[in-house]
Amino acid sequence: MNAASQKVALRARYVVPVAAPPLQNACVVMRGEQIEAVTATPPADAEIVDLGSVAILPGLVNAHVHLEFSALEERLGEAGMPLPAWIREVLAWRQRVANDPDGAVSTQDALARGLAEAVRHGTTALGEIATVNWRRNGEIGGTGPSRGPLDLPLDVTVFRELIAPTSEPLRIAECMLTAGPHLAEGEVSKTWSAGLSPHAPYSAHPQLCEAVVRLHARSPFPVAIHLAESREELEWLAHGTGPLADLFDELELPSPFAASRRPLEVIEQLGGLSNTLFVHGNYLAPDEMAALAERASTTAVVYCPRTHAYFGHEPYPLVEMLNAGVSVALGTDGRGSNPDLSLLAEMRHVARQHPEVPLARILELGTLAGARALGREAKAGSLTPGKVANLAMIALPEGATDDAYDMLLRADTEVVATLVRGRPVFATDETPLAAWAKSD
Ligand SMILES: [Zn+2]
């Protein structure tokens, strides 16, 4: 029925294209993997699937996640914990995984669970950080496509995490040795694409970042780095002191303090690449926001709203960033610091915390801006003819308010189906889409 050449018109109470205003009682017309039209009147030659009281949106884009934590029922540590203390919790948790004979299996299980959870929440693109998180008897544990399939067809950008706190050439060379094969694998993969992630300014020495810049000059790839996440990071960058210095001492790592620095230097070093995601940006100064705004077409700050709240950071400067012209995308971060992987829940949190930001803009942050951040804007992020049919469908209460954005972001509505490249990857039994998918 729904062969590649067949046109299918998905009719819904609302179609919310993001790049254009919402349409009431309209259709998304798909042909194969692509969106052919967004229209009030379906073409005569289309098969019509009436979805009833739902809103069709572009698939949500979660620009920052660590899937390794996806099997955790509870977040690590405690609410309000300083970041260096939470990092200790992560290291202890990883040690437990390393000591568990089934550690490798459970890590793969976590990855699969995370992907399944993401599609249940309407996500069709992810920025995932793949970690080498333990080594034992020559065996390496961690997440990454070479250690297990990414068998759900999402658009996953897998950033290989790079950690080399000091300028020791051997450590940097060893780190970069994992980068080449990862990028080459991503190049030929049909299911994921590759990027690199120097972890953070305190764990990725400027010379490691320089090696990433040199590699990027040969053939571009997206880059992600955690930046300005905590006050402790700023203190350590400026003076080499504070709780992060204590953590390095405790881990008996050589002091990696490079020089008196600020996040601005990291923005200047990595902000000139093809696509750079600066994750968190909780404590960026006005001149750093201005530097990001100047580079807005190739950089994005990824705000992780509920993770930000978990750590009890100072209020997030979202309005300041948007007013300055910074590109902002949204991420859930991992289940080590977040209750789930729902980007819809993140957008609702933003709507509550930042009521001055229009709801349409918030929806854009979780879709089109995320796609742009991951370099996928040409194909994803909005319901635009010619883009890929990556869609999220959300049930709307009958007879509720007529403001589509209000129903999506201020109510407790749920994702009932997710399509990737025109095919359902998740659908509740109640949606007519489930029957349509089975009729294939
Ligand atoms: Zn992160």
Side-chain angles (χ1 to χ4, degrees):
M1 267 176 84
N2 39 346
S5 58
Q6 174 80 38
K7 280 184 201 174
V8 179
L10 303 174
R11 179 146 53 197
R13 183 166 154 209
Y14 272 106
V15 173
V16 186
V18 172
L23 295 170
Q24 211 164 350
N25 300 319
C27 297
V28 175
V29 183
M30 309 187 295
R31 186 201 285 266
E33 295 189 351
Q34 275 198 336
I35 297 169
E36 190 164 276
V38 174
T39 173
T41 324
D45 58 345
E47 174 194 357
I48 296 172
V49 181
D50 200 332
L51 299 170
S53 187
V54 305
I56 303 179
L57 330 176
L60 306 180
V61 181
N62 184 351
H64 184 68
V65 64
H66 298 254
L67 290 176
E68 66 172 306
F69 299 114
S70 301
L72 288 176
E73 297 291 336
E74 297 282 328
R75 290 171 278 198
L76 295 171
E78 287 159 33
M81 184 176 245
L83 191 72
W86 184 80
I87 293 174
R88 279 191 188 84
E89 296 279 337
V90 171
L91 296 175
W93 173 76
R94 283 187 180 154
Q95 197 56 51
R96 292 199 291 280
V97 176
N99 292 338
D100 176 353
D102 294 328
V105 176
S106 64
T107 303
Q108 285 316 311
D109 175 58
L111 208 76
R113 281 205 213 190
L115 290 172
E117 188 185 344
V119 297
R120 275 203 313 279
H121 290 303
T123 306
T124 59
L126 282 175
E128 148 74 346
I129 307 290
T131 322
V132 172
N133 50 19
W134 51 269
R135 293 162 200 265
R136 185 185 58 211
N137 305 330
E139 195 191 349
I140 294 175
T143 55
S146 55
R147 295 187 182 81
L150 290 170
D151 50 7
L152 279 168
L154 309 194
D155 292 334
V156 184
T157 304
V158 183
F159 295 91
R160 162 64 55 212
E161 188 167 78
L162 306 173
I163 295 185
T166 70
S167 60
E168 191 193 340
L170 256 177
R171 180 79 187 101
I172 291 177
E174 188 191 28
C175 212
M176 293 308 290
L177 273 179
T178 68
H182 177 71
L183 294 171
E185 251 188 291
E187 197 76 30
V188 295
S189 171
K190 288 191 171 65
T191 56
W192 60 279
S193 57
L196 296 181
S197 177
H199 170 257
Y202 52 86
S203 50
H205 193 273
Q207 289 186 23
L208 172 66
C209 294
E210 209 41 55
V212 170
V213 171
R214 280 198 301 274
L215 193 57
H216 183 279
R218 283 199 252 153
S219 178
F221 46 83
V223 169
I225 184 166
H226 299 89
L227 187 70
E229 182 173 6
S230 65
R231 286 253 175 240
E232 291 86 348
E233 176 190 326
L234 300 191
E235 177 183 355
W236 187 85
L237 277 180
H239 310 294
T241 55
L244 275 173
D246 298 343
L247 181 63
F248 280 114
D249 280 350
E250 195 182 302
L251 298 173
E252 294 179 5
L253 288 170
S255 172
F257 179 60
S260 175
R261 286 194 295 152
R262 298 180 53 209
L264 183 62
E265 285 140 56
V266 181
I267 293 167
E268 284 170 346
Q269 186 178 30
L270 295 175
L273 309 182
S274 56
N275 273 90
T276 306
L277 293 83
F278 294 103
V279 180
H280 301 302
N282 300 331
Y283 295 97
L284 289 171
D287 62 336
E288 291 163 338
M289 291 184 202
L292 285 163
E294 273 172 35
R295 299 162 174 82
S297 61
T298 56
T299 65
V301 170
V302 185
Y303 173 27
C304 301
R306 288 179 301 162
T307 287
H308 176 275
Y310 181 61
F311 288 108
H313 290 299
E314 291 162 33
Y316 194 79
L318 179 64
V319 173
E320 291 87 328
M321 282 203 223
L322 294 176
N323 287 345
V326 177
S327 295
V328 179
L330 298 177
T332 58
D333 216 332
R335 270 176 164 263
S337 56
N338 214 41
D340 56 50
L341 302 180
S342 168
L343 205 80
L344 190 58
E346 301 298 340
M347 292 192 287
R348 287 174 180 164
H349 182 92
V350 176
R352 285 193 300 273
Q353 293 296 311
H354 306 276
E356 59 279 57
V357 182
L359 296 181
R361 187 85 170 94
I362 295 173
L363 189 63
E364 190 194 335
L365 301 185
T367 52
L368 192 53
R372 195 177 294 137
L374 292 170
R376 298 185 179 278
E377 188 191 2
K379 290 192 172 172
S382 63
L383 304 181
T384 304
K387 286 198 180 184
V388 171
N390 289 352
L391 314 175
M393 285 158 209
I394 295 177
L396 298 178
E398 294 285 355
T401 151
D402 265 347
D403 184 319
Y405 294 121
D406 223 44
M407 283 189 279
L408 293 173
L409 298 180
R410 292 226 172 92
D412 211 12
T413 46
E414 282 185 13
V415 173
V416 290
T418 309
L419 271 71
V420 175
R421 288 184 267 286
R423 303 292 310 147
V425 290
F426 164 69
T428 60
D429 288 341
E430 293 78 47
T431 162
L433 205 71
W436 171 73
K438 282 183 196 135
S439 71
D440 193 10

